[in-house]
Amino acid sequence: MDAAAVVKVMAGLPGAEEHEGWAGQPVFKVRNKSFAYLSDDQTRMHLKVAREELEALVAEDPAVFTASWGGSWVLVELGLADEEEIGELITEAWRLTAPKYLVAQLGS
């Protein structure tokens, strides 16, 4: 997966907006709450996850997934990641952050 594919997934999420992060990197927010950050070089991505999901991802493939930021975020090596799986994780990160009325717009 590359940064262009990430942005394409984000475009399909109601209320998702791209902003500039503290170091100039892309950060994705919904209702002014962050749920994803791309690295400066856009090869890695931090995603918000449930703790249980974090543990499963890191156990599944530690070359792709690394725990970060207090146990509720995962760092993903985009070049090694499966595009479909990352698309699902981006959507789940958005769901964890978005208000219910926006989640309802996306459906299940």
Side-chain angles (χ1 to χ4, degrees), residues 45-98:
M45 176 175 232
H46 287 275
L47 286 170
K48 189 174 191 177
V49 292
R51 287 187 187 270
E52 305 80 32
E53 182 74 13
L54 174 64
E55 292 170 6
L57 290 168
V58 173
E60 170 190 326
D61 197 343
V64 176
F65 303 105
T66 307
S68 68
W69 295 351
S72 60
W73 292 80
V74 66
L75 178 64
V76 180
E77 294 291 336
L78 292 174
L80 301 175
D82 176 74
E83 192 165 325
E84 184 176 332
E85 182 177 26
I86 299 307
E88 292 171 6
L89 289 171
I90 290 169
T91 302
E92 185 58 26
W94 173 85
R95 283 181 191 275
L96 289 169
T97 310

